[in-house]
């Protein structure tokens, strides 16, 4: 019997990316569906070249220039200048990601071209499933891998919780986006804005499903972590990917109020100036399992991360989420957090860093009710996935 091929961002040294990719594989395992994650080692260079050309074409766009292009240059230069500090520490963390990836993922043979991918899809797979994460960003649509355009017509194509990441796409991508979306047999997305975009481009009304990490309970996630805390004592766990000093200032005021130490993961996707000199403990030997352990055992969590928020909710934590990008634009990905909180009825968690800490500490969440909503959301999402794998109609009627 043919297996399901998973198209995911399993290789990226980012906690959310790797955990959602693992969760996608695990849910198929739990359903008894034979599967493997498609290895992109052979085509990664070509994909990166296409994405680079996309960013170069956007060089006059101030949002892109101030964002992705500047970050890439800054990260490269800092690693060169500080090889004995940042570069070495980043290497320690990357080794943890590599160890997790090698242990947890079943990957396919190495395909060297789109032609090989197409042939393999036809011969090896009953379905190809793409998701989750921000795989339909404009740069990825240009790279044309996560779009599944290389999968033959006769092979079942499924999108599970795939995200556009943003609330709008460049107008010049309209035809390309419409074409690839219409070829996918079953589409479900992670954010309300994603539902709107699919309807805008194709006329299809598609379901909202939960991120793969939410398909499992807090107890289920014990399978990748140690039972005992990896950090002793009471602590505030900080997981920031953005460069907002207000976020760190809020965490320091929370430390002053509680007396708890700050444990922070620093310089994650890039070198972050705001990360310097605000935390008490800054471990680097932290892979995805250790990341979940740090959230599970924290007294408080401060984050600007979607998955940082997800695991805080799963472990029923007192957490505060700031917005990584403070204004709307092509790089703004805040809608994924807004959609998550709206779906689960979560209020009082979003901050901008200027709030009174003592007042924030009094805010409560009705976690029993929230987890009832998660359970219902999980069941609906699972039914979509089962129906899509069985080639049953899961999308709503076209408008």
């Amino acid at each position: 019997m043919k297996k399901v091929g998973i198209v995911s961002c399993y290789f990226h040294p980012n906690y959310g990316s790797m955990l959602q990719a693992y969760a996608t594989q695990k849910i198929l395992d739990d359903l008894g569906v034979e599967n493997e994650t498609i290895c992109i080692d052979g085509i990664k260079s070509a994909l990166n070249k296409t994405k680079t050309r996309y960013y170069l074409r956007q060089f006059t766009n101030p949002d892109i220039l101030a964002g992705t292009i500047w970050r890439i240059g800054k990260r490269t230069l800092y690693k060169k200048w500080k090889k004995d500090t940042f570069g070495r520490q980043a290497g320690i963390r990357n080794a943890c990601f590599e160890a997790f990836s090698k242990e947890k993922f079943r990957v396919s043979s190495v395909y060297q071209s789109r032609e090989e991918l197409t042939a393999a899809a036809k011969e090896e797979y009953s379905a190809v499933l793409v998701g989750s994460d921000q795989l339909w960003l404009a740069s990825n649509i240009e790279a044309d891998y996560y779009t599944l355009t290389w999968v033959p017509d006769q092979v079942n194509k499924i999108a599970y919780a795939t995200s556009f990441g943003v609330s709008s796409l460049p107008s010049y991508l309209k035809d390309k986006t419409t074409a690839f979306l219409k070829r996918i047999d079953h589409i479900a997305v992670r954010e309300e804005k994603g539902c709107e975009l699919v309807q805008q481009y194709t006329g299809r009304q598609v379901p909202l499903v939960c991120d793969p990490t939410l398909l499992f309970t807090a107890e289920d996630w014990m399978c990748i972590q140690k039972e005992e805390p990896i950090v002793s004592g009471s602590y505030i766990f900080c997981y920031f990917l953005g460069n907002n000093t207000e976020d760190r200032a809020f965490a320091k005021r929370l430390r002053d109020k509680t007396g708890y130490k700050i444990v922070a993961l620093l310089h994650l996707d890039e070198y972050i100036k705001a990360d310097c000199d605000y935390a008490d403990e800054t471990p680097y030997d932290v892979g995805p399992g250790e990341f979940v352990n740090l959230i599970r055992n924290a007294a408080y969590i401060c984050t600007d991360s979607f998955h940082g928020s997800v695991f805080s909710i799963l472990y029923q934590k007192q957490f505060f989420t700031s917005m990584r990008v403070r204004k709307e634009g092509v790089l703004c990905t805040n809608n994924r957090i807004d959609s998550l909180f709206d779906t689960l009825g979560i209020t009082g968690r979003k901050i901008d860093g200027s709030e009174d800490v003592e007042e924030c500490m009094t805010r409560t969440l009705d976690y029993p009710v929230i987890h009832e909503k998660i359970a219902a959301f999980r069941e609906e999402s699972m039914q979509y996935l089962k129906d899509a794998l069985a080639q049953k109609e899961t999308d709503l009627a076209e408008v």
Side-chain angles (χ1 to χ4, degrees), residues 71-203:
R71 287 202 308 269
I72 292 170
K74 184 170 63 171
R75 179 170 62 237
T76 301
L77 288 173
Y78 194 80
K79 283 185 177 180
K80 181 177 179 180
W81 291 338
K82 298 286 186 179
K83 286 187 290 188
D84 293 335
T85 53
F86 176 63
R88 178 177 56 82
Q89 291 162 336
I92 292 170
R93 183 161 53 217
N94 285 341
C96 294
F97 279 112
E98 289 174 10
F100 182 89
S101 181
K102 288 180 180 179
E103 179 185 351
K104 299 297 184 183
F105 291 108
R106 290 186 309 278
V107 297
S108 70
S109 302
V110 178
Y111 303 120
Q112 300 293 344
S113 66
R114 287 177 64 91
E115 291 73 23
E116 285 191 17
L117 277 170
T118 299
K122 183 178 181 180
E123 298 299 324
E124 300 288 336
Y125 304 127
S126 60
V128 176
L129 185 153
V130 62
S132 161
D133 221 352
Q134 302 174 79
L135 301 183
W136 290 342
L137 288 167
S139 58
N140 283 334
I141 293 173
E142 287 274 44
D144 208 21
Y145 170 66
Y146 298 109
T147 56
L148 304 189
T149 56
W150 48 271
V151 181
D153 290 340
Q154 65 268 34
V155 177
N156 186 13
K157 291 168 285 296
I158 303 168
Y160 179 81
T162 317
S163 172
F164 291 91
V166 292
S167 57
S168 63
L169 292 170
S171 58
Y172 71 86
L173 282 176
K174 177 182 177 182
D175 291 344
K176 192 169 189 175
T177 302
T178 298
F180 91 75
L181 287 174
K182 284 188 172 182
R183 288 192 75 249
I184 298 178
D185 301 288
H186 304 278
I187 298 177
V189 293
R190 195 177 66 181
E191 293 102 28
E192 290 288 355
K193 285 293 183 181
C195 293
E196 294 172 14
L197 285 171
V198 174
Q199 185 169 14
Q200 174 186 331
Y201 287 112
T202 69

Side-chain angles (χ1 to χ4, degrees), residues 298-318:
Y300 291 90
I301 292 139
C302 298
T303 188
D304 61 1
S305 155
F306 174 82
H307 284 103
S309 302
V310 164
F311 282 97
S312 297
I313 295 165
L314 282 176
Y315 284 105
Q316 304 189 36
K317 292 297 177 177
Q318 178 76 312

Side-chain angles (χ1 to χ4, degrees), residues 132-308:
S132 161
D133 221 352
Q134 302 174 79
L135 301 183
W136 290 342
L137 288 167
S139 58
N140 283 334
I141 293 173
E142 287 274 44
D144 208 21
Y145 170 66
Y146 298 109
T147 56
L148 304 189
T149 56
W150 48 271
V151 181
D153 290 340
Q154 65 268 34
V155 177
N156 186 13
K157 291 168 285 296
I158 303 168
Y160 179 81
T162 317
S163 172
F164 291 91
V166 292
S167 57
S168 63
L169 292 170
S171 58
Y172 71 86
L173 282 176
K174 177 182 177 182
D175 291 344
K176 192 169 189 175
T177 302
T178 298
F180 91 75
L181 287 174
K182 284 188 172 182
R183 288 192 75 249
I184 298 178
D185 301 288
H186 304 278
I187 298 177
V189 293
R190 195 177 66 181
E191 293 102 28
E192 290 288 355
K193 285 293 183 181
C195 293
E196 294 172 14
L197 285 171
V198 174
Q199 185 169 14
Q200 174 186 331
Y201 287 112
T202 69
R204 292 165 73 177
Q205 293 181 358
V206 299
L208 184 75
V209 292
C210 66
D211 187 84
T213 55
L214 280 170
L215 291 172
F216 301 98
T217 65
E219 184 61 31
D220 291 334
W221 280 110
M222 292 304 298
C223 67
I224 64 166
Q225 60 178 301
K226 294 179 179 179
E227 179 69 36
E228 64 274 13
I230 63 171
V231 169
S232 60
S234 298
Y235 61 90
I236 301 159
F237 177 52
C238 291
Y239 177 52
F240 298 121
L241 294 115
N243 196 19
N244 297 309
T245 56
E246 298 93 338
D247 302 340
R248 280 77 170 175
F250 179 88
K252 289 193 287 186
R253 295 200 304 277
L254 185 59
R255 174 179 59 190
D256 293 342
K257 188 65 182 178
T258 62
Y260 299 157
K261 61 187 175 184
I262 291 176
V263 177
L265 302 181
L266 306 185
H267 311 304
L268 291 154
D269 285 346
E270 58 180 303
Y271 168 70
I272 297 287
K273 185 177 181 181
D275 273 347
C276 298
D277 303 322
Y278 88 96
D280 301 295
E281 295 186 20
T282 59
Y284 281 86
D285 55 341
V286 176
E290 291 78 19
F291 170 80
V292 178
N293 185 287
L294 285 169
I295 290 179
R296 177 170 64 90
N297 293 293
Y300 291 90
I301 292 139
C302 298
T303 188
D304 61 1
S305 155
F306 174 82
H307 284 103

